[in-house]
Amino acid sequence: MLRTHTCGELRLIDVNKEVTLAGWVQRVRNKGGLIWLDLRDRYGVTQLIFEEGSTDKVLLDKAASLGREFVVRTTGKVIERTSKNDKLPTGDIEVKASSLEVLNAAKVPPFIIEDETDGGDELRMKYRYLDLRRNVVREKLQLRHRMMQETRKYMDAQSFIEVETPVLIKSTPEGARDFVVPSRVNPGEFYALPQSPQTFKQLLMVSGFDRYFQIVKCFRDEDLRADRQPEFTQIDCEMSFVDQEDILNTFEGLVRHLFTNVKGVELGGIERMTFADAMKYYGNDKPDLRFEMKFVELNELAQGKGFAIFDQAELVVGICASGAGEYTRKQIDALTEWVKRPQIGAKGLVYVKCNEDGTFKSSVDKFYTQEDLKAWAERANAKAGDLILVLSGDAKTTRKQMSELRLKMGEELGLRDRNVFKPLWVVDFPLLEWDEETQRYHAMHHPFTSPKKEDIPLLENDPGAVRANAYDLVINGVEIGGGSIRIHDRPTQQLMFKHLGFSDEEAQKQFGFLMEAFEYGAPPHGGIAFGFDRFCAIFGGSDSIRDYIAFPKNNSGRDVMIDSPSTIAEEQLKELSIALALRKE
Amino acid sequence: MLRTHTCGELRLIDVNKEVTLAGWVQRVRNKGGLIWLDLRDRYGVTQLIFEEGSTDKVLLDKAASLGREFVVRTTGKVIERTSKNDKLPTGDIEVKASSLEVLNAAKVPPFIIEDETDGGDELRMKYRYLDLRRNVVREKLQLRHRMMQETRKYMDAQSFIEVETPVLIKSTPEGARDFVVPSRVNPGEFYALPQSPQTFKQLLMVSGFDRYFQIVKCFRDEDLRADRQPEFTQIDCEMSFVDQEDILNTFEGLVRHLFTNVKGVELGGIERMTFADAMKYYGNDKPDLRFEMKFVELNELAQGKGFAIFDQAELVVGICASGAGEYTRKQIDALTEWVKRPQIGAKGLVYVKCNEDGTFKSSVDKFYTQEDLKAWAERANAKAGDLILVLSGDAKTTRKQMSELRLKMGEELGLRDRNVFKPLWVVDFPLLEWDEETQRYHAMHHPFTSPKKEDIPLLENDPGAVRANAYDLVINGVEIGGGSIRIHDRPTQQLMFKHLGFSDEEAQKQFGFLMEAFEYGAPPHGGIAFGFDRFCAIFGGSDSIRDYIAFPKNNSGRDVMIDSPSTIAEEQLKELSIALALRKE
């Protein structure tokens, strides 16, 4: 190695050792005949010292001439510092340099490479390879590494086998959102990139693999909205001979392992909630449980008192914001404006302040007596100093609006602490959901999810009421994972396709291979997939690897390495055109 | 879990326990009122027993009716076997079943699911999910898992960080063999799939990551020849502040770790050989060192004795096949035919048999005395009972032919044992190689490989003689990995592109982003990439994941999941055509 030690490892015990270090010049200070140089690498920072008189003049001049981010190598003796720096792990020592070699010069970097930088977003993105030198950025990628290592450690210990499933797979006629990859070797033919290895992993269960996992890239040719990337990483898992309870327990184990070993947080058990309760109490299938503020239905208390808006509403629902009773008129007006924004779409907001003297002040005092409001407060468990906020309208829309308002209030009251973690299993999802656009039922999870046995009779007459053996892991209001117990026999799978509006021919054409496999001894099985990017984000890592690992921007502001610029070779273009033309014939 | 134990774990110590097992029916035997059922899962086989009289009649009938590969679940008591089976880890016990539930029936499988099967290649590929139930096939994938786990364990312990680099990257105009992926969200634009993360990892070094690795899929749109797959897996690595010696040592460590922990083989040190020596002594840059049989040059011994073919040859070269002196005329004729096949292309083959009585018998006795032949034998270290085989012609071609013949003889003499491992570092590769077709030099490794400092002056006048800081890991004649110390400054990289025939503009357009990054403090760095599929194959695993993980064949014999069938949705086709048309404008 070009070094004997990294810049992060020397301590008092190393004093008097002759060492060689290599790294980047973080900073050079020059004062009263002394030069201090902070040398940085991934592992830390070590101070070098050059002293007029005792250091060779040529060396001294060289040290003084170094610019920021020069790559240098130095040899010297470790000495104890006279004034120690206890903020630095290496702060007890410094290295008295006896040689200095410039391994590579550096232009002046366009922004300061420290935790606090003067570089704006654009500049840092343009020089992403320099931004990645900053500890705070690099640590996000190190966290991903740690997450991957610990995931694999846990899964291996639980007898899961990691199997790489193919990336270039069959393009199915209906996979309209798949990326497709024209093959030039077989003109007119295409591969697709997988949106998930779902059918692969089910076939592995049919093959008797028993426990499969994979940390795997998946692809979707979708708009690059904030939370959607064309490629993303999943922890993909499947197990045989299990019921839902086994899956939840096994992966509670994984989640707890990652929290303990990566984040240093001890999680208790993971709460469970049915989809129905999540919707009823939080208006949301991924409730943020870092704070309570449950929905309280007020219909029978609020209706019939002459307030037409409530009287005509399907649902009158409130939340109690503890400690917000002191909100000013201005603050409440702002909230009202907020819920009336098109993104939320409420018509208005009713409030009830619970005064310290036991009286109530509300925006609907005209219609309700103090007694009425007291009943609301009791129902909402509100105490003096609290604020009750009420929305009304049709049930579905109102719950959705109230869910947004609840999160907003949680935010305003500081109840959504990034360092508090409240995981939750949401269970008993509906099997199907009605799609207004296509006027038919869609699988809420995917068509391989099994219905609850006791609900199968409902399929014919009330399909929307059928519950699935499906579950999501939610942490702090973010859906981190989801899965289900799968269908493992042909008749049930066929029935499912029928209810999804597939003809027998369509079902056979698209998924015949899977249904045939089920006829050769498929074990009961189920699984789960975690959104790895989101899981890392919950821990303070990167949301998407593409946010961090992409590389220099060119002059048009496009990414030189990961954007999709509009240039391919003419030859290639010709071949592709031929490939497409052949296909069309 | 639907089971209390797997089918591989019950032992004598479990006798009298009430257990529940689940798995596949391997075999049912029915004799004299007793039914034995072998129940199989990934972990092993356990014998169930049903006994007329003591077992309920309904249960007995059910057991007798089960077909092969039915999926069942049973509860019963563990008892000691009267006749034990010491070939089976569970062979000391059996389970006296008290209940039996069919979890899924199975059609009669098209071939026997055992290590030795009656299914031909085609049938097994058609029902690959059934073939994967066979231990010998499943174990290949388990080996891959083990290899991945141990690789990551070693790399993590050595402070390497695994970073996922993007799969959808920029398509460069010159990347003619890249797969390209049209984006439908941005019509007329394309992604490419990476052939390797080479530039990404170099930029990570510029970013100060110091030690990077990744087990990563790479893609090449090439003919599906036997040893080329459109997607393959690499162990991709890069380190900063190292010279070649550091890389070789670090990755000798990895190779040794994998041999010890996956294969249970203790490797000694890894031999090293220059490229020049490999070519001189083995005619091959990836010599199989499981056997010696070095080339012996015979020019000055064989020339000038009137044998025109040798006299006119640039090279006369022999090998000594120990113990092949007894080869019959027929065997030698067959060898002669073999070297004359177009794939080898030799004009003929000269042999010298070293007889037990100290005399020599050769095909060129007319031209050479016994003394002459004795000199050859001494040069070749041949003893009585050995066979010397000699080829001649122009040096390059003859070495290549002799390399093939050497491997053939190694095979025939049983010297290429799959359980013997001879790893080798081949070092000092040439930087450039002349390409007849394009009439210019190409980078032998890739354009980022650094020339040896002392050879840089040769670049101008004798580019072919410049050696690179490049190395390959060869095991048993297979190239398992290759890498180099990279160029890390702009001027050298520019010089390199110049010698590869790039104009400054071309170089800047394609690799300007990398050369610019080098100007902001790039550390000296180098790396290596291992062909993961080949490494697994050396250990007896699968050559390519696609060979094993692909799924059912459809009627046309095409793979239902990983082939590239010619169907994509009409809508998709239209979008693609528009995308291409836009690009062409």
Side-chain angles (χ1 to χ4, degrees):
Chain A
M1 298 287 298
L2 303 187
R3 63 191 176 208
T4 57
H5 295 76
T6 70
C7 295
E9 68 178 304
L10 293 172
R11 300 287 184 274
L12 269 184
I13 201 172
D14 300 303
V15 163
N16 284 326
K17 275 188 195 156
E18 186 84 359
V19 299
T20 301
L21 302 181
W24 285 262
V25 174
Q26 176 84 32
R27 194 182 294 112
V28 182
R29 280 159 302 145
N30 197 327
K31 195 179 165 191
L34 281 171
I35 296 174
W36 293 275
L37 189 163
D38 284 350
L39 192 66
R40 186 198 71 229
D41 65 14
R42 182 186 117 196
Y43 311 92
V45 171
T46 299
Q47 180 168 293
L48 310 182
I49 184 166
F50 304 81
E51 199 173 350
E52 213 167 279
S54 70
T55 305
D56 178 80
K57 179 78 171 67
V58 176
L59 190 58
L60 211 63
D61 288 349
K62 202 192 251 180
S65 73
L66 295 174
R68 278 199 285 148
E69 300 303 316
F70 272 48
V71 184
V72 302
R73 182 191 190 199
T74 188
T75 296
K77 199 161 88 168
V78 183
I79 59 177
E80 183 168 357
R81 280 206 210 178
T82 45
S83 74
K84 301 195 169 50
N85 178 350
D86 54 13
K87 280 184 200 135
L88 217 56
T90 62
D92 288 346
I93 57 90
E94 56 197 351
V95 172
K96 183 133 202 298
S98 55
S99 82
L100 183 65
E101 181 189 352
V102 175
L103 296 172
N104 215 346
K107 285 188 186 171
V108 175
F111 52 86
I112 296 174
I113 312 242
E114 300 200 14
D115 290 1
E116 296 292 328
T117 180
D118 56 351
D121 275 3
E122 209 167 316
L123 203 56
R124 286 186 294 109
M125 288 300 102
K126 181 170 174 190
Y127 296 94
R128 217 164 327 193
Y129 55 92
L130 297 180
D131 198 34
L132 280 166
R133 282 190 194 159
R134 297 167 59 226
N135 294 328
V136 288
V137 184
R138 197 195 54 245
E139 278 161 9
K140 286 175 191 282
L141 291 183
Q142 281 180 272
L143 174 82
R144 276 182 88 91
H145 166 68
R146 205 70 268 137
M147 288 283 280
M148 289 196 283
Q149 284 286 132
E150 291 297 336
T151 298
R152 290 188 161 106
K153 203 163 156 189
Y154 177 85
M155 297 303 279
D156 186 47
Q158 301 286 320
S159 299
F160 285 81
I161 300 174
E162 185 162 21
V163 179
E164 297 159 90
T165 52
V167 175
L168 296 169
I169 64 169
K170 188 194 169 199
S171 171
T172 54
E174 292 71 14
R177 325 197 78 172
D178 284 345
F179 279 111
V180 295
V181 185
S183 162
R184 274 173 298 149
V185 176
N186 305 295
E189 305 196 349
F190 301 83
Y191 294 100
L193 302 181
Q195 298 190 28
S196 105
Q198 181 63 32
T199 41
F200 280 107
K201 69 178 177 174
Q202 289 195 247
L203 284 170
L204 284 172
M205 293 302 105
V206 177
S207 294
F209 271 68
D210 203 71
R211 294 179 166 213
Y212 145 92
F213 85 107
Q214 191 180 187
I215 303 183
V216 60
K217 279 278 175 73
C218 302
F219 305 88
R220 272 191 209 133
D221 192 6
E222 285 181 355
D223 246 325
L224 305 184
R225 277 178 292 144
D227 61 342
R228 293 281 189 180
Q229 292 280 345
E231 66 182 283
F232 54 96
T233 305
Q234 262 184 208
I235 307 174
D236 191 51
C237 313
E238 199 79 4
M239 301 171 79
S240 290
F241 301 116
V242 291
D243 56 28
Q244 175 169 313
E245 198 57 28
D246 301 316
I247 305 244
L248 299 194
N249 289 332
T250 303
F251 293 97
E252 251 184 69
L254 171 63
V255 171
R256 228 190 323 267
H257 178 87
L258 293 176
F259 267 94
T260 305
N261 293 285
V262 179
K263 192 67 188 169
V265 167
E266 288 304 327
L267 276 191
I270 300 186
E271 214 177 298
R272 300 193 189 175
M273 190 182 292
T274 62
F275 172 85
D277 278 353
M279 296 310 289
K280 182 176 170 72
Y281 294 118
Y282 301 96
N284 194 321
D285 62 1
K286 35 182 190 286
D288 184 346
L289 294 194
R290 281 174 296 184
F291 61 106
E292 182 93 352
M293 222 184 275
K294 267 189 184 176
F295 290 8
V296 181
E297 295 181 11
L298 298 171
N299 288 35
E300 87 278 15
L301 296 179
Q303 290 179 328
K305 307 278 175 158
F307 183 41
I309 289 175
F310 280 3
D311 288 349
Q312 289 152 16
E314 184 186 356
L315 178 70
V316 181
V317 66
I319 53 173
C320 168
S322 288
E326 298 302 310
Y327 261 42
T328 60
R329 180 65 200 232
K330 205 175 147 193
Q331 283 176 298
I332 290 175
D333 284 350
L335 278 182
T336 308
E337 285 314 304
W338 190 86
V339 298
K340 285 162 87 175
R341 293 179 320 149
Q343 300 96 309
I344 310 294
K347 295 275 190 319
L349 176 64
V350 166
Y351 73 86
V352 181
K353 280 185 177 181
C354 306
N355 298 325
E356 292 298 337
D357 61 4
T359 63
F360 300 91
K361 168 82 194 98
S362 92
S363 49
V364 287
D365 284 343
K366 261 198 284 202
F367 302 101
Y368 299 96
T369 65
Q370 287 285 312
E371 272 316 296
D372 290 337
L373 297 177
K374 192 173 174 206
W376 296 15
E378 275 166 8
R379 170 75 56 91
N381 250 324
K383 308 172 308 299
D386 291 353
L387 176 70
I388 301 169
L389 297 169
V390 185
L391 292 173
S392 65
D394 84 272
K396 198 173 163 194
T397 311
T398 307
R399 286 187 194 288
K400 215 166 161 189
Q401 293 164 348
M402 187 53 105
S403 169
E404 296 293 334
L405 179 60
R406 176 181 173 273
L407 291 173
K408 165 86 171 159
M409 290 309 296
E411 201 68 55
E412 288 199 3
L413 298 172
L415 303 172
R416 302 181 72 189
D417 184 342
R418 279 184 71 91
N419 297 310
V420 171
F421 299 96
K422 290 288 180 198
L424 166 74
W425 288 113
V426 178
V427 298
D428 297 355
F429 274 82
L431 183 69
L432 304 166
E433 66 185 336
W434 182 253
D435 186 61
E436 283 298 334
E437 199 183 318
T438 55
Q439 285 288 308
R440 59 177 201 173
Y441 280 105
H442 279 230
M444 192 154 185
H445 191 54
H446 54 50
F448 315 110
T449 295
S450 64
K452 285 198 185 289
K453 221 175 226 166
E454 61 270 32
D455 289 359
I456 291 182
L458 296 171
L459 263 175
E460 281 303 329
N461 298 316
D462 190 5
V466 176
R467 290 165 307 157
N469 294 308
Y471 31 81
D472 274 0
L473 177 72
V474 173
I475 304 179
N476 294 0
V478 179
E479 181 201 325
I480 296 295
S484 65
I485 300 296
R486 324 300 183 188
I487 296 165
H488 68 280
D489 63 301
R490 180 168 198 136
T492 312
Q493 190 64 70
Q494 265 172 331
L495 185 70
M496 185 67 185
F497 283 128
K498 196 190 105 190
H499 284 288
L500 292 171
F502 285 63
S503 71
D504 281 358
E505 291 71 34
E506 282 171 335
Q508 178 60 26
K509 191 172 160 213
Q510 265 193 79
F511 296 108
F513 68 94
L514 186 65
M515 291 190 287
E516 266 153 42
F518 285 171
E519 293 180 296
Y520 284 98
H525 61 283
I528 192 167
F530 296 94
F532 188 70
D533 306 300
R534 287 187 192 167
F535 210 151
C536 289
I538 282 279
F539 279 8
S542 64
D543 290 343
S544 160
I545 192 70
R546 292 177 77 86
D547 292 344
Y548 287 94
I549 203 51
F551 278 112
K553 297 273 178 189
N554 62 21
N555 293 335
S556 69
R558 311 210 67 180
D559 205 295
V560 172
M561 291 191 69
I562 73 161
D563 262 354
S564 56
S566 53
T567 49
I568 58 170
E570 284 308 312
E571 175 204 353
Q572 215 163 349
L573 188 63
K574 212 186 304 166
E575 285 174 1
L576 281 175
S577 302
I578 293 168
L580 283 176
L582 280 173
R583 167 63 188 96
K584 271 191 274 191
E585 279 154 18
Chain B
M1 297 288 297
L2 304 187
R3 64 191 175 209
T4 57
H5 295 76
T6 70
C7 295
E9 68 179 303
L10 293 173
R11 299 287 183 276
L12 269 184
I13 201 174
D14 299 303
V15 164
N16 284 325
K17 276 187 194 156
E18 185 83 1
V19 299
T20 300
L21 302 181
W24 285 261
V25 174
Q26 176 83 31
R27 193 183 295 112
V28 182
R29 281 160 300 146
N30 198 326
K31 195 181 166 188
L34 281 172
I35 296 175
W36 293 276
L37 189 162
D38 284 350
L39 192 67
R40 186 197 71 230
D41 65 12
R42 182 186 118 198
Y43 311 93
V45 170
T46 299
Q47 180 168 292
L48 311 183
I49 184 166
F50 304 80
E51 198 174 350
E52 213 169 280
S54 70
T55 305
D56 178 80
K57 179 78 171 69
V58 176
L59 190 57
L60 210 62
D61 288 349
K62 202 192 252 180
S65 73
L66 294 175
R68 280 199 285 147
E69 302 303 316
F70 272 49
V71 184
V72 303
R73 182 190 190 199
T74 188
T75 296
K77 200 162 87 171
V78 182
I79 58 178
E80 185 169 358
R81 280 207 211 179
T82 44
S83 73
K84 301 193 168 54
N85 177 350
D86 54 13
K87 282 184 200 134
L88 217 58
T90 63
D92 288 346
I93 58 92
E94 57 196 352
V95 173
K96 180 131 203 299
S98 55
S99 82
L100 182 66
E101 181 189 350
V102 175
L103 296 172
N104 214 345
K107 286 189 187 169
V108 176
F111 52 88
I112 295 175
I113 312 245
E114 300 202 13
D115 290 1
E116 296 293 327
T117 178
D118 56 350
D121 275 3
E122 209 167 317
L123 203 57
R124 286 187 294 109
M125 287 300 102
K126 182 171 175 190
Y127 295 95
R128 213 158 337 187
Y129 55 91
L130 297 181
D131 199 35
L132 279 167
R133 281 191 196 158
R134 298 167 59 229
N135 293 329
V136 289
V137 184
R138 197 195 53 243
E139 278 161 9
K140 287 174 192 282
L141 291 183
Q142 281 179 274
L143 174 82
R144 276 182 88 91
H145 166 68
R146 204 71 270 136
M147 288 282 280
M148 288 196 283
Q149 284 285 133
E150 291 298 335
T151 297
R152 290 189 161 106
K153 204 163 155 189
Y154 177 85
M155 297 303 279
D156 187 46
Q158 301 286 322
S159 300
F160 284 82
I161 300 174
E162 185 162 23
V163 179
E164 297 159 90
T165 52
V167 175
L168 296 169
I169 64 169
K170 189 195 169 198
S171 171
T172 55
E174 291 72 15
R177 325 198 77 172
D178 284 346
F179 279 112
V180 296
V181 185
S183 162
R184 274 172 298 148
V185 175
N186 305 295
E189 306 195 351
F190 301 83
Y191 293 100
L193 302 181
Q195 299 191 25
S196 103
Q198 181 64 31
T199 41
F200 281 108
K201 69 178 177 174
Q202 290 195 245
L203 284 169
L204 283 171
M205 293 303 105
V206 177
S207 294
F209 271 68
D210 203 69
R211 295 180 166 213
Y212 144 92
F213 86 107
Q214 191 182 187
I215 302 183
V216 61
K217 281 274 175 77
C218 302
F219 305 88
R220 272 189 210 134
D221 192 5
E222 285 180 359
D223 245 327
L224 305 185
R225 278 179 291 144
D227 61 342
R228 292 282 189 179
Q229 292 280 347
E231 65 182 282
F232 54 96
T233 305
Q234 263 184 206
I235 307 174
D236 191 50
C237 312
E238 199 78 5
M239 301 170 78
S240 291
F241 301 117
V242 291
D243 55 28
Q244 176 169 311
E245 198 57 29
D246 301 317
I247 304 244
L248 300 194
N249 288 332
T250 302
F251 293 98
E252 253 185 63
L254 171 63
V255 172
R256 228 190 322 269
H257 178 87
L258 293 176
F259 267 93
T260 305
N261 293 287
V262 179
K263 192 68 187 166
V265 167
E266 288 303 327
L267 277 191
I270 301 186
E271 213 177 299
R272 300 194 188 174
M273 190 183 292
T274 63
F275 172 85
D277 279 353
M279 297 310 289
K280 183 177 170 70
Y281 295 117
Y282 301 95
N284 195 319
D285 63 0
K286 35 182 190 286
D288 184 345
L289 293 194
R290 281 174 296 184
F291 61 107
E292 181 94 350
M293 222 184 276
K294 266 189 183 177
F295 291 7
V296 180
E297 295 181 10
L298 298 171
N299 287 37
E300 86 278 18
L301 296 180
Q303 290 178 329
K305 306 277 175 161
F307 183 42
I309 290 176
F310 280 4
D311 288 350
Q312 289 154 16
E314 185 186 355
L315 178 69
V316 182
V317 65
I319 52 173
C320 167
S322 289
E326 298 302 312
Y327 261 43
T328 60
R329 181 62 199 233
K330 205 175 148 197
Q331 283 177 297
I332 290 176
D333 283 351
L335 278 182
T336 308
E337 285 314 304
W338 191 85
V339 299
K340 286 163 87 176
R341 293 180 320 149
Q343 299 96 308
I344 310 294
K347 295 273 191 316
L349 176 64
V350 167
Y351 73 86
V352 182
K353 279 186 179 180
C354 306
N355 297 325
E356 294 297 339
D357 62 4
T359 63
F360 300 92
K361 167 83 193 99
S362 92
S363 50
V364 287
D365 283 344
K366 263 199 279 204
F367 303 102
Y368 299 96
T369 64
Q370 288 285 312
E371 272 314 297
D372 290 338
L373 297 177
K374 191 175 176 206
W376 295 17
E378 274 166 10
R379 170 75 56 92
N381 252 324
K383 307 171 309 297
D386 291 354
L387 177 69
I388 301 170
L389 297 168
V390 185
L391 293 172
S392 66
D394 84 88
K396 201 175 160 192
T397 311
T398 307
R399 286 186 192 288
K400 217 169 158 184
Q401 294 164 347
M402 187 52 106
S403 167
E404 295 294 334
L405 180 59
R406 175 181 174 272
L407 292 173
K408 166 86 171 157
M409 291 310 297
E411 201 67 55
E412 288 199 1
L413 297 172
L415 303 172
R416 301 181 73 188
D417 183 342
R418 279 184 71 92
N419 296 310
V420 170
F421 299 97
K422 291 289 180 196
L424 166 74
W425 287 113
V426 178
V427 298
D428 297 355
F429 273 81
L431 182 69
L432 304 166
E433 67 186 336
W434 182 252
D435 185 62
E436 283 299 335
E437 200 184 318
T438 56
Q439 286 287 306
R440 58 176 201 171
Y441 280 104
H442 280 229
M444 192 154 185
H445 190 56
H446 54 49
F448 315 111
T449 295
S450 64
K452 286 202 184 285
K453 223 175 223 164
E454 61 271 31
D455 289 0
I456 292 182
L458 297 171
L459 263 175
E460 282 303 328
N461 298 317
D462 190 5
V466 176
R467 291 164 307 158
N469 294 308
Y471 32 80
D472 273 0
L473 177 72
V474 174
I475 304 179
N476 294 0
V478 179
E479 182 201 324
I480 295 296
S484 64
I485 300 296
R486 324 298 183 188
I487 295 165
H488 67 279
D489 63 302
R490 178 167 201 138
T492 312
Q493 190 63 68
Q494 266 172 330
L495 184 69
M496 185 67 185
F497 284 128
K498 197 191 103 190
H499 285 286
L500 292 171
F502 285 64
S503 71
D504 281 359
E505 291 69 36
E506 284 170 337
Q508 178 61 27
K509 193 173 159 212
Q510 266 194 76
F511 296 109
F513 68 92
L514 186 64
M515 292 191 285
E516 265 153 41
F518 286 171
E519 295 180 296
Y520 284 98
H525 62 284
I528 191 165
F530 295 94
F532 187 69
D533 305 301
R534 289 187 192 167
F535 210 151
C536 289
I538 281 278
F539 279 8
S542 64
D543 290 343
S544 159
I545 191 70
R546 292 177 76 87
D547 292 344
Y548 288 93
I549 204 52
F551 279 112
K553 298 271 177 191
N554 62 21
N555 295 335
S556 69
R558 314 211 63 178
D559 205 295
V560 172
M561 291 192 70
I562 73 161
D563 262 355
S564 56
S566 55
T567 48
I568 59 171
E570 284 308 312
E571 174 203 353
Q572 215 163 348
L573 188 63
K574 212 184 306 163
E575 285 175 2
L576 280 176
S577 302
I578 293 168
L580 284 176
L582 280 173
R583 167 62 188 97
K584 273 191 273 189
E585 279 153 20

